[in-house]
mmCIF file of all heavy atoms in Angstrom:
data_model
loop_
_atom_site.group_PDB
_atom_site.id
_atom_site.type_symbol
_atom_site.label_atom_id
_atom_site.label_comp_id
_atom_site.label_asym_id
_atom_site.label_seq_id
_atom_site.Cartn_x
_atom_site.Cartn_y
_atom_site.Cartn_z
ATOM 1 N N ASP U 1 -9.627 -0.019 -9.964
ATOM 2 C CA ASP U 1 -10.312 -1.299 -9.832
ATOM 3 C C ASP U 1 -10.679 -1.828 -11.213
ATOM 4 O O ASP U 1 -10.325 -1.229 -12.236
ATOM 5 C CB ASP U 1 -11.522 -1.205 -8.891
ATOM 6 C CG ASP U 1 -12.647 -0.329 -9.442
ATOM 7 O OD1 ASP U 1 -12.662 -0.012 -10.653
ATOM 8 O OD2 ASP U 1 -13.538 0.026 -8.643
ATOM 9 N N VAL U 2 -11.395 -2.932 -11.264
ATOM 10 C CA VAL U 2 -11.734 -3.597 -12.528
ATOM 11 C C VAL U 2 -12.494 -2.663 -13.464
ATOM 12 O O VAL U 2 -12.298 -2.681 -14.672
ATOM 13 C CB VAL U 2 -12.555 -4.882 -12.250
ATOM 14 C CG1 VAL U 2 -12.952 -5.551 -13.546
ATOM 15 C CG2 VAL U 2 -11.740 -5.833 -11.391
ATOM 16 N N GLY U 3 -13.324 -1.797 -12.930
ATOM 17 C CA GLY U 3 -14.093 -0.855 -13.747
ATOM 18 C C GLY U 3 -13.370 0.447 -14.012
ATOM 19 O O GLY U 3 -13.976 1.426 -14.425
ATOM 20 N N ALA U 4 -12.052 0.496 -13.774
ATOM 21 C CA ALA U 4 -11.220 1.681 -13.972
ATOM 22 C C ALA U 4 -11.640 2.833 -13.063
ATOM 23 O O ALA U 4 -11.447 3.998 -13.389
ATOM 24 C CB ALA U 4 -11.192 2.110 -15.434
ATOM 25 N N GLN U 5 -12.198 2.494 -11.905
ATOM 26 C CA GLN U 5 -12.535 3.485 -10.891
ATOM 27 C C GLN U 5 -11.428 3.509 -9.847
ATOM 28 O O GLN U 5 -10.767 2.500 -9.603
ATOM 29 C CB GLN U 5 -13.873 3.138 -10.218
ATOM 30 C CG GLN U 5 -15.060 3.134 -11.171
ATOM 31 C CD GLN U 5 -15.317 4.502 -11.774
ATOM 32 O OE1 GLN U 5 -15.371 5.495 -11.067
ATOM 33 N NE2 GLN U 5 -15.448 4.548 -13.084
ATOM 34 N N LEU U 6 -11.255 4.670 -9.205
ATOM 35 C CA LEU U 6 -10.229 4.801 -8.185
ATOM 36 C C LEU U 6 -10.594 3.976 -6.956
ATOM 37 O O LEU U 6 -11.672 4.129 -6.385
ATOM 38 C CB LEU U 6 -10.072 6.276 -7.803
ATOM 39 C CG LEU U 6 -8.888 6.646 -6.929
ATOM 40 C CD1 LEU U 6 -7.567 6.301 -7.624
ATOM 41 C CD2 LEU U 6 -8.922 8.125 -6.593
ATOM 42 N N ASP U 7 -9.716 3.063 -6.587
ATOM 43 C CA ASP U 7 -9.881 2.225 -5.401
ATOM 44 C C ASP U 7 -8.866 2.718 -4.377
ATOM 45 O O ASP U 7 -7.667 2.787 -4.672
ATOM 46 C CB ASP U 7 -9.625 0.759 -5.758
ATOM 47 C CG ASP U 7 -9.709 -0.145 -4.545
ATOM 48 O OD1 ASP U 7 -10.700 -0.062 -3.811
ATOM 49 O OD2 ASP U 7 -8.750 -0.928 -4.333
ATOM 50 N N ILE U 8 -9.337 3.083 -3.187
ATOM 51 C CA ILE U 8 -8.468 3.669 -2.170
ATOM 52 C C ILE U 8 -8.503 2.823 -0.904
ATOM 53 O O ILE U 8 -9.569 2.490 -0.403
ATOM 54 C CB ILE U 8 -8.917 5.106 -1.833
ATOM 55 C CG1 ILE U 8 -8.882 5.978 -3.094
ATOM 56 C CG2 ILE U 8 -8.043 5.704 -0.731
ATOM 57 C CD1 ILE U 8 -9.552 7.310 -2.939
ATOM 58 N N GLU U 9 -7.311 2.506 -0.412
ATOM 59 C CA GLU U 9 -7.174 1.766 0.843
ATOM 60 C C GLU U 9 -6.309 2.609 1.772
ATOM 61 O O GLU U 9 -5.211 3.031 1.394
ATOM 62 C CB GLU U 9 -6.497 0.420 0.577
ATOM 63 C CG GLU U 9 -6.108 -0.338 1.811
ATOM 64 C CD GLU U 9 -5.189 -1.519 1.514
ATOM 65 O OE1 GLU U 9 -4.900 -1.793 0.337
ATOM 66 O OE2 GLU U 9 -4.748 -2.146 2.480
ATOM 67 N N PHE U 10 -6.789 2.858 2.976
ATOM 68 C CA PHE U 10 -6.013 3.636 3.940
ATOM 69 C C PHE U 10 -5.142 2.696 4.772
ATOM 70 O O PHE U 10 -5.620 1.696 5.297
ATOM 71 C CB PHE U 10 -6.932 4.440 4.869
ATOM 72 C CG PHE U 10 -6.174 5.265 5.874
ATOM 73 C CD1 PHE U 10 -5.577 6.452 5.502
ATOM 74 C CD2 PHE U 10 -6.042 4.833 7.185
ATOM 75 C CE1 PHE U 10 -4.854 7.211 6.432
ATOM 76 C CE2 PHE U 10 -5.327 5.581 8.121
ATOM 77 C CZ PHE U 10 -4.734 6.778 7.736
ATOM 78 N N VAL U 11 -3.856 3.034 4.867
ATOM 79 C CA VAL U 11 -2.925 2.286 5.708
ATOM 80 C C VAL U 11 -2.486 3.247 6.820
ATOM 81 O O VAL U 11 -1.897 4.296 6.549
ATOM 82 C CB VAL U 11 -1.702 1.786 4.910
ATOM 83 C CG1 VAL U 11 -0.720 1.058 5.820
ATOM 84 C CG2 VAL U 11 -2.139 0.896 3.754
ATOM 85 N N GLY U 12 -2.805 2.880 8.061
ATOM 86 C CA GLY U 12 -2.487 3.721 9.205
ATOM 87 C C GLY U 12 -1.067 3.533 9.697
ATOM 88 O O GLY U 12 -0.317 2.680 9.204
ATOM 89 N N GLN U 13 -0.695 4.292 10.722
ATOM 90 C CA GLN U 13 0.665 4.321 11.233
ATOM 91 C C GLN U 13 1.181 2.953 11.658
ATOM 92 O O GLN U 13 2.368 2.674 11.553
ATOM 93 C CB GLN U 13 0.768 5.285 12.410
ATOM 94 C CG GLN U 13 2.184 5.385 12.948
ATOM 95 C CD GLN U 13 2.328 6.411 14.050
ATOM 96 O OE1 GLN U 13 1.439 7.204 14.292
ATOM 97 N NE2 GLN U 13 3.449 6.384 14.723
ATOM 98 N N ASP U 14 0.297 2.069 12.092
ATOM 99 C CA ASP U 14 0.756 0.745 12.512
ATOM 100 C C ASP U 14 0.760 -0.258 11.357
ATOM 101 O O ASP U 14 1.084 -1.426 11.542
ATOM 102 C CB ASP U 14 -0.100 0.206 13.661
ATOM 103 C CG ASP U 14 -1.572 0.117 13.294
ATOM 104 O OD1 ASP U 14 -1.974 0.737 12.280
ATOM 105 O OD2 ASP U 14 -2.328 -0.570 14.006
ATOM 106 N N GLY U 15 0.465 0.211 10.153
ATOM 107 C CA GLY U 15 0.401 -0.669 8.987
ATOM 108 C C GLY U 15 1.705 -0.722 8.207
ATOM 109 O O GLY U 15 2.715 -0.112 8.573
ATOM 110 N N VAL U 16 1.661 -1.466 7.109
ATOM 111 C CA VAL U 16 2.832 -1.676 6.259
ATOM 112 C C VAL U 16 2.454 -1.370 4.818
ATOM 113 O O VAL U 16 1.443 -1.864 4.317
ATOM 114 C CB VAL U 16 3.332 -3.143 6.367
ATOM 115 C CG1 VAL U 16 4.476 -3.401 5.412
ATOM 116 C CG2 VAL U 16 3.734 -3.464 7.800
ATOM 117 N N LEU U 17 3.276 -0.551 4.155
ATOM 118 C CA LEU U 17 3.108 -0.308 2.721
ATOM 119 C C LEU U 17 3.778 -1.443 1.961
ATOM 120 O O LEU U 17 4.890 -1.848 2.302
ATOM 121 C CB LEU U 17 3.759 1.007 2.302
ATOM 122 C CG LEU U 17 3.017 2.288 2.557
ATOM 123 C CD1 LEU U 17 3.852 3.479 2.089
ATOM 124 C CD2 LEU U 17 1.662 2.292 1.891
ATOM 125 N N SER U 18 3.122 -1.908 0.915
ATOM 126 C CA SER U 18 3.673 -2.964 0.083
ATOM 127 C C SER U 18 3.908 -2.433 -1.326
ATOM 128 O O SER U 18 3.095 -1.670 -1.850
ATOM 129 C CB SER U 18 2.688 -4.142 0.025
ATOM 130 O OG SER U 18 3.058 -5.040 -0.998
ATOM 131 N N GLY U 19 4.999 -2.875 -1.918
ATOM 132 C CA GLY U 19 5.270 -2.527 -3.311
ATOM 133 C C GLY U 19 4.424 -3.315 -4.288
ATOM 134 O O GLY U 19 4.464 -3.059 -5.485
ATOM 135 N N GLU U 20 3.669 -4.298 -3.773
ATOM 136 C CA GLU U 20 2.770 -5.132 -4.577
ATOM 137 C C GLU U 20 3.506 -5.671 -5.798
ATOM 138 O O GLU U 20 4.667 -6.044 -5.709
ATOM 139 C CB GLU U 20 1.501 -4.344 -4.927
ATOM 140 C CG GLU U 20 0.760 -3.866 -3.685
ATOM 141 C CD GLU U 20 -0.490 -3.073 -3.959
ATOM 142 O OE1 GLU U 20 -0.949 -3.017 -5.118
ATOM 143 O OE2 GLU U 20 -1.030 -2.502 -2.991
ATOM 144 N N ASP U 21 2.862 -5.697 -6.949
ATOM 145 C CA ASP U 21 3.493 -6.202 -8.173
ATOM 146 C C ASP U 21 4.459 -5.190 -8.784
ATOM 147 O O ASP U 21 5.262 -5.537 -9.644
ATOM 148 C CB ASP U 21 2.434 -6.551 -9.223
ATOM 149 C CG ASP U 21 1.573 -7.723 -8.808
ATOM 150 O OD1 ASP U 21 2.008 -8.507 -7.936
ATOM 151 O OD2 ASP U 21 0.457 -7.861 -9.343
ATOM 152 N N VAL U 22 4.363 -3.939 -8.347
ATOM 153 C CA VAL U 22 5.198 -2.872 -8.902
ATOM 154 C C VAL U 22 6.640 -2.994 -8.394
ATOM 155 O O VAL U 22 7.591 -2.873 -9.154
ATOM 156 C CB VAL U 22 4.605 -1.486 -8.534
ATOM 157 C CG1 VAL U 22 5.479 -0.362 -9.045
ATOM 158 C CG2 VAL U 22 3.190 -1.356 -9.083
ATOM 159 N N LEU U 23 6.784 -3.207 -7.096
ATOM 160 C CA LEU U 23 8.087 -3.397 -6.462
ATOM 161 C C LEU U 23 8.017 -4.667 -5.620
ATOM 162 O O LEU U 23 7.894 -4.609 -4.392
ATOM 163 C CB LEU U 23 8.417 -2.205 -5.553
ATOM 164 C CG LEU U 23 8.866 -0.923 -6.224
ATOM 165 C CD1 LEU U 23 8.856 0.231 -5.239
ATOM 166 C CD2 LEU U 23 10.254 -1.099 -6.819
ATOM 167 N N PRO U 24 8.056 -5.827 -6.252
ATOM 168 C CA PRO U 24 7.906 -7.079 -5.507
ATOM 169 C C PRO U 24 8.921 -7.197 -4.370
ATOM 170 O O PRO U 24 10.117 -6.992 -4.573
ATOM 171 C CB PRO U 24 8.147 -8.162 -6.564
ATOM 172 C CG PRO U 24 7.957 -7.486 -7.878
ATOM 173 C CD PRO U 24 8.321 -6.047 -7.673
ATOM 174 N N GLY U 25 8.419 -7.467 -3.187
ATOM 175 C CA GLY U 25 9.268 -7.635 -2.020
ATOM 176 C C GLY U 25 9.475 -6.369 -1.202
ATOM 177 O O GLY U 25 9.976 -6.427 -0.084
ATOM 178 N N PHE U 26 9.100 -5.225 -1.741
ATOM 179 C CA PHE U 26 9.262 -3.978 -0.983
ATOM 180 C C PHE U 26 8.174 -3.873 0.070
ATOM 181 O O PHE U 26 6.990 -3.998 -0.230
ATOM 182 C CB PHE U 26 9.191 -2.757 -1.901
ATOM 183 C CG PHE U 26 9.324 -1.442 -1.164
ATOM 184 C CD1 PHE U 26 10.574 -0.941 -0.862
ATOM 185 C CD2 PHE U 26 8.203 -0.729 -0.760
ATOM 186 C CE1 PHE U 26 10.709 0.271 -0.182
ATOM 187 C CE2 PHE U 26 8.322 0.467 -0.084
ATOM 188 C CZ PHE U 26 9.580 0.977 0.205
ATOM 189 N N GLU U 27 8.586 -3.651 1.307
ATOM 190 C CA GLU U 27 7.653 -3.410 2.399
ATOM 191 C C GLU U 27 8.230 -2.312 3.275
ATOM 192 O O GLU U 27 9.438 -2.275 3.522
ATOM 193 C CB GLU U 27 7.424 -4.675 3.228
ATOM 194 C CG GLU U 27 6.624 -5.723 2.502
ATOM 195 C CD GLU U 27 6.187 -6.870 3.418
ATOM 196 O OE1 GLU U 27 6.739 -6.981 4.535
ATOM 197 O OE2 GLU U 27 5.310 -7.624 3.000
ATOM 198 N N LEU U 28 7.345 -1.424 3.736
ATOM 199 C CA LEU U 28 7.767 -0.333 4.597
ATOM 200 C C LEU U 28 6.771 -0.181 5.726
ATOM 201 O O LEU U 28 5.612 0.198 5.498
ATOM 202 C CB LEU U 28 7.872 0.980 3.804
ATOM 203 C CG LEU U 28 8.198 2.237 4.609
ATOM 204 C CD1 LEU U 28 9.537 2.100 5.327
ATOM 205 C CD2 LEU U 28 8.183 3.458 3.696
ATOM 206 N N ALA U 29 7.210 -0.490 6.931
ATOM 207 C CA ALA U 29 6.383 -0.270 8.114
ATOM 208 C C ALA U 29 6.268 1.234 8.316
ATOM 209 O O ALA U 29 7.278 1.945 8.332
ATOM 210 C CB ALA U 29 7.016 -0.925 9.333
ATOM 211 N N LEU U 30 5.054 1.714 8.438
ATOM 212 C CA LEU U 30 4.861 3.160 8.542
ATOM 213 C C LEU U 30 5.435 3.736 9.835
ATOM 214 O O LEU U 30 5.672 4.939 9.909
ATOM 215 C CB LEU U 30 3.392 3.527 8.380
ATOM 216 C CG LEU U 30 2.849 3.336 6.958
ATOM 217 C CD1 LEU U 30 1.462 3.941 6.817
ATOM 218 C CD2 LEU U 30 3.772 3.914 5.899
ATOM 219 N N THR U 31 5.695 2.907 10.828
ATOM 220 C CA THR U 31 6.370 3.405 12.023
ATOM 221 C C THR U 31 7.790 3.873 11.695
ATOM 222 O O THR U 31 8.356 4.684 12.420
ATOM 223 C CB THR U 31 6.429 2.326 13.124
ATOM 224 O OG1 THR U 31 7.026 1.146 12.588
ATOM 225 C CG2 THR U 31 5.043 2.026 13.670
ATOM 226 N N LYS U 32 8.363 3.407 10.588
ATOM 227 C CA LYS U 32 9.678 3.875 10.152
ATOM 228 C C LYS U 32 9.581 5.206 9.412
ATOM 229 O O LYS U 32 10.583 5.900 9.253
ATOM 230 C CB LYS U 32 10.346 2.849 9.233
ATOM 231 C CG LYS U 32 10.764 1.582 9.926
ATOM 232 C CD LYS U 32 11.456 0.667 8.945
ATOM 233 C CE LYS U 32 11.948 -0.592 9.629
ATOM 234 N NZ LYS U 32 12.615 -1.494 8.675
#
């Protein structure tokens, strides 16, 4: 995060992983 602290977001089985700015356009539905 802005203060260089670890920011954690949980994405469950029905969610989607995003490549964000690292891999623009990459998305992976966790059901896959």
Side-chain angles (χ1 to χ4, degrees):
D1 67 15
V2 178
Q5 298 297 311
L6 190 61
D7 177 51
I8 301 169
E9 171 192 357
F10 180 78
V11 178
Q13 182 176 349
D14 58 344
V16 176
L17 280 179
S18 167
E20 302 179 10
D21 293 339
V22 178
L23 284 167
F26 179 84
E27 289 190 345
L28 175 60
L30 290 190
T31 54
K32 291 182 177 180

